[in-house]
Amino acid sequence: MSTKYHPREIEARWSAQWAEQELYEFQEHAARPKFYWLTMLPYPSGDLHIGHWYAMAPSDAGARFKRMNGYNVFFPIGFDAFGLPAENAAIKNNTHPKIWTYANIERMRRQLRSMGTMFAWKNEIISCDPDYYKWSQWTFLKFLERGIAYREHAPVDFCPSCNTTLAREQVIGEERVCERCETPVIKKALNQWKYRITDYAEQLLKFEDIEWPEAVRTMQTNWIGRSEGVEFDLAVDGRPGQTLRVFTTRPDTIFGLTFCVLSPEHPLVREVTTPAQRGAVEAYQAAAERKSEIERMADTQEQDGVFTGAYALHPLTGANVPIWIADYVLMGYGTGAIMAVPAHDTRDYAFALRYRLPVPPVIRPVGSAGANGEGLELPYTAKEGSEMCNSGRFDGLAWPRSFEAVVKELERRGIGERKVNYRLRDWLISRQRMWGTPIPVIYCKTCGMVPVPYEHLPVRLPDDAVFKPTGESPLKYHKAFLHVDCPCCGGPAERETDTMDTFICSSWYMYAYLSPYWKKGQRITADDVPWNRGVVDPWLPIDQYTGGIEHAILHLMYLRFYAMALADVGVMPPKAPVRRLFNQGMILGEDNEKMSKSRGNVVNPDALVRDYGADTVRAYLMFIGPWDQGGPWNPKGIEGMARFMNDVWYLGTPVEAEAAPAQDAEAARQLTGALHQTLAKVSEDYLAFKYNTLLAALMSFRNQLKAARPTLQGTPAWNTAIDGLLLMLAPVAPFITEELWQRRRPGESIHLQPWPRHDPALARTDAVTMVIQINGKFRDRMEVSPDVKAEEMQTLALERPKVQEALANRTVRKVIPVGNKLVNIVVQ
């Protein structure tokens, strides 16, 4: 065997051997308790980048640690294989997205294996496989039966030049143009399929029995945007029977209502706009169509609008209230119309100032000097501690009595009702693209919309589809796909050409891993389920999920909704799908910026593995900083980790000896103490994902081993310490530790060994080394009790012969103890 460390040789050999031994494959039934560990599945973009490594290698280390602690760990992998990049590649290379996708998957499989991960490859799933997506279609049909899935007109980004809808990422720049032809993008209303996620808003606001980061819980709570208030009607002046319905969370400010605002998309706009204002209103609507909701809601967005020429009547005073349109009001929230109270709302205030609309204050701080709000700094938006003023008989009512009093008055008049609103919208799942799961619906002129029978699933994507340069979906023109007989009447019909949002695939993949491609190639029915429940149910929930916080709103909310909806249709138990979540940070470029090809700061992991070995790359990524924070790549830093690996090789390689040396009892005691101190620290850090500090502890232990090697190598204490080093390092660096373990203890893999237990008694240090300096220069050292007091340290230091010799004929000005490990004597 080679005495030099050659990572490429040993890593290739152990990868092949572990695969042959099926060391990491799923064990459904084992005596050990189950632990389902999951990292977010990658998109097969072509090559693993360093971000993949940063997400997966530390997650793998955590899974390995859990396995060594006695758990039956399931750690699967797959590919989220549908999506726009494959379509763009198909257009660019004149090929089919399936060919591009599977070629990338094959390359990424090789790269993932080179990483040294303990993935259960036999449970791999690929979301573009028909035997996977037929179950996405099956759940769609179940949701349709239950009313969770429905179809309605909804606006989409549309390129009039390419004659196609665009995904969010295809609309570029502040001018919102098509990425292909740079034509300004417009909004266009099309029939779209949606899932009623809003029906689950209250459930989604509950996070009981799950350990998720507070940041994710807050982001989801804010995204759902629950607000309690009142909806009420305002009569439109001069139009008998026509009303305008608004929602507000601040009914206590109703007497400050001086204008109303409609969303530009509100259906009432066309009806109430006067002929004189029609041109201005339509021009404003066209401009609003080109803005995204994010732009319209941005704090930096200038508040502008157009008067419709119409008026509403104040519900309590009967005063005329002008009706405007403005794009800061969204059709999807509340009723798409607001009562504007400029004195007590920031956006309304800016709008009123711009258009010189009245701004009367109607609430004030309780007990303030100005009875009518005189001298009040506007806009005044406080709830707590506020009271009504300039509000007739309601004057002096403080929050929350003010809220209740106005709501009751609106209810008494029969024009209002309490309401809970959510910012959350129903999930629009339709995509006018080809490379996604086909929506299993047929349209017949006689029978209308007809669900595809369960027995006819999957509705397969055609392998011979040809893309147009514009990016239009080929499904619209593919005759064999498009034209079909109606399942009800047998007459001519057409398939739905929309496909599902790719987030559908990633909302249930964690269950498919446990029962991959269930009923593969078999005919399925409405009475089937997407997986083997006898396998899946006992393994739920996922015990540990890792991934980026950028997925907090979409993926991580969708998977929770999907679990709730699947429980409602009876295919899984009603429990949270993920018990514990951890969000890793982001690995940055050397310039401290996000890595991108345009910046030229991308790091190629394949080159690093070739030069340093996978163990060194894994360990350096974990050492670079706290895993939840990320950090910049430092090309010099990896050199230090390479030296550490070489030291581990040097220390762990067995040396032939004629006879074991006699063991120095004191040196052995100190080394054993260091081992157990390190073991306590490392064990604690693995549990908390503090990989950087556990590696720092192992490096410190490495230094202690190097110091002890001349006197202890080959002794029982030495061998126990080296075994401990390898076991502690094994989750981080699986290859080098396996190689050295087998050289020392041929037989069972190190990754099947139990995690060593630290002994607090052995970890306790009976003495620490105290260094003595004079004017900052080293003079002596001595062993002292860890509990030594400062006064005793001073006395002991001054009594040392070497110190007394150095202090001869010199005056001591000060003696400064530092902790229990340093005394600095200051002399003239």
Side-chain angles (χ1 to χ4, degrees):
M1 291 185 290
S2 173
T3 57
K4 291 186 176 181
Y5 178 39
H6 296 295
R8 291 181 67 184
E9 183 271 323
I10 67 168
E11 289 173 3
R13 175 159 43 82
W14 282 114
S15 285
Q17 197 159 324
W18 292 335
E20 182 181 342
Q21 295 171 349
E22 298 185 354
L23 191 66
Y24 305 124
E25 295 302 341
F26 178 45
Q27 297 178 36
E28 179 188 346
H29 303 294
R32 296 166 293 158
K34 73 95 179 174
F35 201 95
Y36 189 170
W37 192 293
L38 186 63
T39 188
M40 292 180 185
L41 80 175
Y43 178 77
S45 55
D47 283 296
L48 286 185
H49 52 71
I50 204 70
H52 286 121
W53 276 70
Y54 193 66
M56 293 181 183
S59 192
D60 176 71
R64 288 178 176 277
F65 172 74
K66 210 69 183 176
R67 189 186 203 206
M68 294 176 75
N69 275 272
Y71 288 90
N72 179 19
V73 176
F74 178 48
F75 188 44
I77 189 64
F79 296 93
D80 191 10
F82 278 135
L84 189 61
E87 290 198 9
N88 288 337
I91 295 167
K92 180 180 178 181
N93 302 314
N94 193 28
T95 187
H96 193 284
K98 180 179 178 180
I99 296 171
W100 181 86
T101 299
Y102 275 89
N104 289 347
I105 287 173
E106 189 54 41
R107 185 157 62 252
M108 290 178 72
R109 280 177 181 146
R110 292 195 299 270
Q111 293 171 322
L112 285 166
R113 286 190 170 99
S114 76
M115 193 189 292
T117 49
M118 56 171 277
F119 290 134
W121 282 103
K122 285 189 174 182
N123 288 66
E124 175 198 74
I125 58 97
I126 300 171
S127 66
C128 65
D129 189 307
D131 278 301
Y132 180 85
Y133 67 69
K134 72 181 179 186
W135 292 111
S136 294
Q137 295 171 339
W138 185 93
T139 55
F140 173 91
L141 295 177
K142 286 292 180 182
F143 291 173
L144 185 62
E145 291 171 4
R146 197 174 179 87
I148 297 170
Y150 68 100
R151 192 172 185 240
E152 72 170 8
H153 252 59
V156 294
D157 287 321
F158 188 86
C159 175
S161 175
C162 296
N163 192 34
T164 187
T165 57
L166 302 176
R168 243 175 282 173
E169 58 268 34
Q170 292 177 295
V171 182
I172 60 174
E174 293 184 3
E175 298 301 316
R176 287 181 46 81
V177 299
C178 172
E179 70 168 357
R180 289 199 180 98
C181 67
E182 298 188 354
T183 299
V185 171
I186 63 172
K187 291 286 184 182
K188 186 173 182 178
L190 297 175
N191 277 318
Q192 306 275 290
W193 285 97
K194 295 183 176 183
Y195 281 166
R196 295 187 195 278
I197 190 173
T198 52
D199 285 358
Y200 295 83
E202 286 296 330
Q203 290 185 61
L204 290 167
L205 286 168
K206 298 173 182 176
F207 297 90
E208 291 88 351
D209 303 322
I210 60 175
E211 298 175 44
W212 284 32
E214 186 61 34
V216 174
R217 293 155 59 128
T218 300
M219 290 168 73
Q220 291 197 2
T221 298
N222 292 341
W223 186 262
I224 294 166
R226 186 184 192 277
S227 53
E228 296 184 18
V230 60
E231 275 188 9
F232 63 92
D233 295 321
L234 295 91
V236 178
D237 190 27
R239 292 176 175 267
Q242 191 166 57
T243 59
L244 165 62
R245 194 162 185 82
V246 300
F247 170 79
T248 181
T249 60
R250 296 298 305 271
D252 57 318
T253 66
I254 195 168
F255 286 92
L257 161 59
T258 58
F259 61 100
C260 292
V261 184
L262 301 178
S263 162
E265 300 84 10
H266 199 293
L268 201 60
V269 174
R270 177 185 291 274
E271 297 179 35
V272 303
T273 301
T274 61
Q277 291 297 106
R278 189 165 302 282
V281 166
E282 289 178 350
Y284 188 86
Q285 287 176 309
E289 275 187 352
R290 300 201 56 246
K291 293 182 180 179
S292 69
E293 287 192 4
I294 293 174
E295 289 175 294
R296 287 168 61 171
M297 295 300 291
D299 291 336
T300 55
Q301 166 84 354
E302 187 176 355
Q303 310 304 329
D304 64 358
V306 173
F307 178 43
T308 65
Y311 291 85
L313 299 177
H314 193 291
L316 300 185
T317 69
N320 272 343
V321 176
I323 302 173
W324 289 68
I325 67 168
D327 61 13
Y328 72 91
V329 178
L330 301 178
M331 191 62 218
Y333 179 68
T335 64
I338 65 165
M339 70 167 201
V341 183
H344 307 295
D345 180 272
T346 303
R347 291 185 176 184
D348 295 347
Y349 181 73
F351 193 93
L353 291 185
R354 177 167 184 167
Y355 296 106
R356 299 183 180 181
L357 297 168
V359 188
V362 294
I363 58 170
R364 61 175 190 157
V366 172
S368 60
N372 296 315
E374 299 93 339
L376 188 63
E377 184 177 343
L378 300 179
Y380 173 67
T381 61
K383 286 183 182 178
E384 301 296 332
S386 71
E387 65 180 9
M388 296 176 72
C389 63
N390 293 327
S391 301
R393 67 182 179 85
F394 297 93
D395 282 358
L397 286 178
W399 182 273
R401 286 180 60 214
S402 55
F403 177 99
E404 291 295 328
V406 175
V407 171
K408 286 179 180 177
E409 179 62 19
L410 293 170
E411 289 174 333
R412 185 186 71 79
R413 296 189 181 206
I415 58 173
E417 60 181 343
R418 296 171 190 270
K419 192 82 171 181
V420 174
N421 262 328
Y422 303 93
R423 187 172 290 111
L424 179 67
R425 321 287 174 76
D426 279 341
W427 180 4
L428 194 157
I429 68 162
S430 281
R431 296 294 182 270
Q432 290 73 41
R433 321 229 63 83
M434 177 212 157
W435 195 234
T437 299
I439 294 175
V441 165
I442 292 169
Y443 300 102
C444 173
K445 289 183 179 179
T446 303
C447 305
M449 188 277 291
V450 180
V452 172
Y454 288 93
E455 294 77 10
H456 293 180
L457 299 180
V459 176
R460 292 175 179 267
L461 292 169
D463 287 338
D464 57 350
V466 178
F467 281 86
K468 292 186 175 184
T470 61
E472 286 182 90
S473 172
L475 299 181
K476 295 179 181 179
Y477 310 102
H478 195 283
K479 294 181 180 179
F481 176 86
L482 185 62
H483 300 296
V484 64
D485 293 337
C486 173
C488 293
C489 69
E494 291 188 355
R495 289 194 188 280
E496 170 67 77
T497 57
D498 283 1
T499 55
M500 297 185 197
D501 182 2
T502 56
F503 279 112
I504 297 287
C505 301
S506 58
S507 294
W508 67 277
Y509 77 102
M510 57 286 299
Y511 318 125
Y513 276 145
L514 289 158
S515 184
Y517 306 127
W518 179 238
K519 300 211 167 183
K520 184 179 179 68
Q522 298 179 36
R523 192 182 183 116
I524 60 175
T525 71
D527 296 327
D528 284 315
V529 290
W531 46 76
N532 183 343
R533 290 197 64 174
V535 176
V536 174
D537 286 7
W539 274 85
L540 295 180
I542 297 159
D543 298 285
Q544 179 67 62
Y545 198 25
T546 64
I549 198 169
E550 66 272 18
H551 299 290
I553 297 303
L554 298 179
H555 166 60
L556 289 170
M557 186 176 290
Y558 289 155
L559 74 86
R560 294 179 63 218
F561 155 71
Y562 227 77
M564 295 169 187
L566 288 171
D568 281 350
V569 299
V571 300
M572 65 178 294
K575 63 173 72 173
V578 174
R579 176 178 288 124
R580 189 179 184 215
L581 173 70
F582 184 90
N583 298 126
Q584 81 270 356
M586 182 180 291
I587 188 75
L588 303 173
E590 188 179 349
D591 55 1
N592 216 35
E593 298 286 345
K594 185 177 179 180
M595 288 189 186
S596 70
K597 291 180 181 178
S598 61
R599 288 195 180 99
N601 62 355
V602 174
V603 176
N604 181 357
D606 287 355
L608 293 170
V609 172
R610 183 177 61 249
D611 294 342
Y612 297 101
D615 281 336
T616 297
V617 178
R618 285 170 59 109
Y620 178 61
L621 286 170
M622 294 183 223
F623 187 64
I624 214 166
W627 193 34
D628 61 343
Q629 296 177 28
W633 179 263
N634 181 350
K636 295 180 181 177
I638 198 170
E639 295 288 347
M641 190 56 67
R643 288 193 293 273
F644 172 65
M645 290 298 167
N646 275 289
D647 284 345
V648 170
W649 183 266
Y650 161 75
L651 292 166
T653 301
V655 176
E656 295 292 335
E658 293 182 2
Q663 183 164 288
D664 182 316
E666 179 58 23
R669 184 190 63 79
Q670 290 186 16
L671 184 60
T672 300
L675 167 64
H676 284 270
Q677 291 167 19
T678 306
L679 185 53
K681 168 67 174 168
V682 168
S683 299
E684 181 180 301
D685 285 352
Y686 268 120
L687 288 171
F689 299 106
K690 295 180 178 179
Y691 298 113
N692 58 325
T693 55
L694 76 83
L695 277 163
L698 288 174
M699 289 175 175
S700 177
F701 186 50
R702 174 266 318 262
N703 294 337
Q704 292 166 301
L705 284 165
K706 288 173 74 173
R709 187 172 187 265
T711 56
L712 289 177
Q713 186 175 31
T715 65
W718 173 264
N719 290 332
T720 300
I722 293 298
D723 286 350
L725 172 67
L726 297 180
L727 289 166
M728 288 186 285
L729 185 60
V732 170
F735 293 114
I736 189 173
T737 53
E738 181 75 288
E739 177 70 17
L740 293 173
W741 186 265
Q742 293 301 328
R743 292 187 178 200
R744 299 174 59 80
R745 298 172 173 272
E748 192 174 56
S749 170
I750 190 173
H751 303 299
L752 297 177
Q753 304 305 312
W755 186 255
R757 303 297 173 195
H758 88 277
D759 186 333
L762 294 175
R764 176 177 170 79
T765 304
D766 294 331
V768 295
T769 300
M770 183 179 79
V771 172
I772 305 169
Q773 297 177 341
I774 297 178
N775 286 351
K777 293 184 179 181
F778 173 81
R779 289 299 180 182
D780 200 2
R781 65 166 58 90
M782 64 180 297
E783 298 297 307
V784 298
S785 166
D787 304 321
V788 65
K789 305 297 182 185
E791 298 80 4
E792 187 181 358
M793 291 172 64
Q794 296 178 38
T795 301
L796 290 171
L798 293 171
E799 288 177 349
R800 299 288 288 178
K802 289 183 180 180
V803 173
Q804 291 182 353
E805 183 180 339
L807 291 177
N809 302 319
R810 303 172 80 177
T811 301
V812 175
R813 295 180 59 193
K814 199 179 292 185
V815 181
I816 307 171
V818 181
N820 61 0
K821 294 185 178 181
L822 174 67
V823 174
N824 188 26
I825 302 170
V826 181
V827 300
Q828 290 182 337

